[in-house]
Amino acid sequence: LSFRDGRLIFFCACGTKNTDSAVSDISSEASNNSTSDDTSNNDNVKECFEKILNNEQSFYCTNRETDMLLSDYQNFSKDVSYAYVDMDNDNIDELAIWLYGGDTLILRKEDTSVIGYLFGIKGMSTIFTDGCFLWRQGAGETYGCSRLEFTGKTYKEIELWRVENANSNSEAYYIDGKAVTKEELTSFNDEKEHQNITWNSWSTLS
């Protein structure tokens, strides 16, 4: 796969540009209104998440199937980092918390509730600013990149690409579940560069 300056590079599908001027003007106005609404929603969501980080509000833990405070959560300690990132491409941020030991807790606000989903270190090893994340299986012979889609208290992973039987004569490459060549995957990865999220330390909260 392609690496540049130590960063993994890959591509996610993007929309096409509409060249019709009338449609473009309407879309631009709608986009501006949507951006304003999204900013307001994100501010409200972050206020809620900060209460959770400060143990002032509980969340529903899907793997324990109960409401709890962050301070009561497994592997929780003051040695945690957090970041706001849109994991499901709906323009509303989720809260990613890197737990001591390498697990990642993703918190999502839905209506008046906050739902938490736990991912092991192999299930979510690196998160990018657009919400895509890297994962691996076994000893790393299978690895790839996916994004999340949430439905209530459940989620599914939308696979973007993967490599199977890495570093062997039977190494195989897939994009959107379709078998491709190594060159095709490299080209796919070279088209767009993604940056790692910036983790904030616990002490940055007032």
Side-chain angles (χ1 to χ4, degrees):
L1 293 179
S2 178
F3 290 84
R4 189 174 298 159
D5 297 331
R7 296 170 300 199
L8 178 62
I9 301 167
F10 66 94
F11 171 77
C12 293
C14 296
T16 57
K17 182 178 180 180
N18 193 319
T19 57
D20 184 90
S21 59
V23 174
S24 178
D25 291 341
I26 295 173
S27 297
S28 177
E29 181 179 353
S31 177
N32 290 336
N33 291 336
S34 177
T35 299
S36 177
D37 290 342
D38 291 342
T39 300
S40 177
N41 287 337
N42 260 328
D43 288 342
N44 293 334
V45 166
K46 288 180 179 179
E47 287 180 9
C48 176
F49 287 156
E50 288 190 2
K51 290 181 179 179
I52 290 178
L53 286 168
N54 286 317
N55 292 303
E56 298 170 355
Q57 180 175 327
S58 63
F59 65 94
Y60 180 81
C61 175
T62 55
N63 63 307
R64 289 192 177 183
E65 299 183 341
T66 188
D67 292 315
M68 60 193 312
L69 292 173
L70 186 59
S71 59
D72 298 326
Y73 197 75
Q74 62 186 25
N75 297 332
F76 177 81
S77 73
K78 287 295 182 181
D79 299 321
V80 298
S81 300
Y82 69 95
Y84 298 113
V85 55
D86 182 6
M87 298 295 296
D88 57 351
N89 201 29
D90 65 350
N91 296 318
I92 302 297
D93 286 342
E94 277 70 48
L95 174 64
I97 301 177
W98 188 87
L99 298 168
Y100 181 79
D103 292 345
T104 301
L105 181 64
I106 301 296
L107 296 179
R108 180 178 71 92
K109 192 173 188 299
E110 183 177 82
D111 298 325
T112 59
S113 301
V114 175
I115 306 171
Y117 312 82
L118 181 68
F119 295 83
I121 190 170
K122 291 184 178 181
M124 186 176 287
S125 58
T126 301
I127 305 175
F128 297 103
T129 54
D130 68 346
C132 299
F133 61 93
L134 299 180
W135 52 266
R136 67 183 188 274
Q137 296 176 355
E141 61 272 10
T142 297
Y143 61 92
C145 181
S146 299
R147 71 174 313 116
L148 296 176
E149 182 177 291
F150 297 105
T151 303
K153 295 176 181 178
T154 64
Y155 70 89
K156 64 178 178 180
E157 298 182 19
I158 309 301
E159 182 183 286
L160 304 177
W161 59 263
R162 75 179 187 276
V163 175
E164 293 185 353
N165 305 314
N167 303 315
S168 72
N169 293 332
S170 58
E171 194 168 73
Y173 316 91
Y174 300 87
I175 297 174
D176 293 330
K178 178 183 177 181
V180 297
T181 65
K182 182 177 182 179
E183 292 71 23
E184 287 174 323
L185 182 56
T186 298
S187 176
F188 182 84
N189 287 337
D190 279 343
E191 292 192 37
K192 189 170 183 179
E193 184 174 337
H194 287 233
Q195 301 292 329
N196 291 3
I197 61 174
T198 299
W199 292 101
N200 303 290
S201 66
W202 181 262
S203 60
T204 60
L205 279 182
S206 56

